[in-house]
Amino acid sequence: MVMAVAVGLMTGCGGRPSSGTATTAAVAAGTTTAAKTTAEKAEEGIPAEEKTEAEKDTAAEDAEILVAAAASLKNAYEEELIPMFQEANPGVTVKGTYDSSGKLQTQIEEGLEADVFMSAAVKQMNALDEEGMIASDTITDLLENKIVLIVPTGQEGTMSAFEDIADAESVALGDPASVPAGQYAQEALTSLGVWDKIQDKVSFGTNVTEVLNQVAAASADAGIVYATDAASMADQVVVVAEAPEGSLADKVIYPVAVVGESAHEEQAKAFVEFLKTQEALAVFEAYGFSAAE
């Protein structure tokens, strides 16, 4: 009997785990979970709510956004505005794609994953908005531009008025079907009674940059572009005249907005708000734009 009692006591003492050992193991396990990376948590099925606050902040700030903008905005964006925004927002990368506003509209309709759209006319912005593809509350009429008649440097004595384009042997214009500068040109020249007179000598460009380059290379005797485009090649083209007052029904307005299906809405909104600051508007003005009234 004495031996049986002794064996029982020894078994009871040996089978009970040390409370200190259990606590240590639990702390180690908790520390391991806390130290896991977001990827490891995802792999092990740990709920997203268990991300650290630092991880949440990083996820909210880090993003790459795509800005679809009219070709006439490329220099201001690439040389000044995008670098300024990225410096102030180090977690955000901004990429730009530039073309005629009509082409960009079509690309967005066909699935281009743009986050911000800035057109050279309200027509394209309104069309996308009516289709439910724009965050309507973010639309802002940001800038105003002018359309001007240009000739190659050295040929400025050949014309003095906008309607003198009828005297040119070759003319470069943006295609009115998709290029806002071409649409404005058609409207102004029609109101001046010149549009029909130049149809047999017009070369239509797919965006305003093509028109500018044709005149700069003297491939065309004259062309109609934005004042900002002419200013970017002031050593190669000369502005002869602006579209006369009354030849356009509306001002040349550049609206900007967040695309409705943006995957990075927060960062896209931040970029649009940045463009509205005095600092950004000063850059636009340096490139020949003016703030829309």
Side-chain angles (χ1 to χ4, degrees):
M1 291 179 64
V2 172
M3 290 180 64
V5 171
V7 170
L9 289 173
M10 290 177 64
T11 301
C13 292
R16 184 186 304 127
S18 167
S19 61
T21 302
T23 302
T24 302
V27 171
T31 303
T32 301
T33 299
K36 292 180 186 296
T37 65
T38 302
E40 290 171 336
K41 290 176 183 178
E43 289 176 1
E44 297 180 19
I46 298 174
E49 307 87 73
E50 294 185 20
K51 290 179 180 178
T52 65
E53 288 304 313
E55 288 172 336
K56 291 179 182 178
D57 291 342
T58 300
E61 294 174 2
D62 291 353
E64 179 176 298
I65 62 174
L66 177 63
V67 178
S72 50
L73 294 163
K74 182 175 182 178
N75 291 342
Y77 269 165
E78 295 292 324
E79 296 171 7
E80 299 279 351
L81 295 168
I82 288 177
M84 286 169 59
F85 179 78
Q86 290 183 152
E87 183 176 358
N89 299 270
V92 184
T93 300
V94 181
K95 300 293 184 181
T97 180
Y98 310 94
D99 212 322
S100 70
S101 300
K103 282 190 174 182
L104 294 174
Q105 174 194 337
T106 299
Q107 290 172 16
I108 291 172
E109 290 169 335
E110 294 178 348
L112 176 67
E113 296 181 353
D115 299 285
V116 174
F117 178 49
M118 188 165 182
S119 56
V122 298
K123 177 182 177 181
Q124 291 76 23
M125 183 67 74
N126 289 344
L128 289 175
D129 187 34
E130 290 171 2
E131 294 168 11
M133 304 189 77
I134 293 293
S136 301
D137 60 339
T138 67
I139 298 176
T140 302
D141 289 344
L142 189 66
L143 304 175
E144 181 180 350
N145 209 339
K146 305 289 185 183
I147 61 167
V148 296
L149 175 64
I150 59 172
V151 297
T153 298
Q155 298 183 28
E156 49 268 37
T158 59
M159 303 178 195
S160 60
F162 208 77
E163 50 267 44
D164 288 345
I165 194 172
D167 299 329
E169 293 185 6
S170 58
V171 174
L173 299 176
D175 185 352
S178 62
V179 184
Q183 295 162 6
Y184 291 126
Q186 180 180 22
E187 180 183 353
L189 295 175
T190 298
S191 69
L192 295 170
V194 178
W195 179 252
D196 291 337
K197 298 179 181 179
I198 64 171
Q199 292 309 297
D200 60 346
K201 49 190 175 183
V202 174
S203 172
F204 291 112
T206 60
N207 57 53
V208 72
T209 303
E210 286 188 12
V211 176
L212 179 65
N213 289 335
Q214 284 186 52
V215 179
S219 298
D221 296 327
I224 294 177
V225 298
Y226 296 116
T228 52
D229 297 306
S232 72
M233 285 192 176
D235 59 332
Q236 299 178 65
V237 301
V238 176
V239 174
V240 175
E242 279 188 12
E245 185 175 353
S247 62
L248 294 176
D250 300 302
K251 295 180 178 179
V252 180
I253 299 297
Y254 284 54
V256 63
V258 174
V259 177
E261 294 298 319
S262 170
H264 308 289
E265 182 181 3
E266 180 182 342
Q267 293 84 357
K269 284 183 176 180
F271 186 74
V272 170
E273 289 303 312
F274 161 71
L275 296 179
K276 294 157 64 174
T277 65
Q278 290 302 313
E279 183 180 22
L281 289 173
V283 172
F284 281 124
E285 289 172 3
Y287 281 81
F289 295 95
S290 58
E293 297 180 357

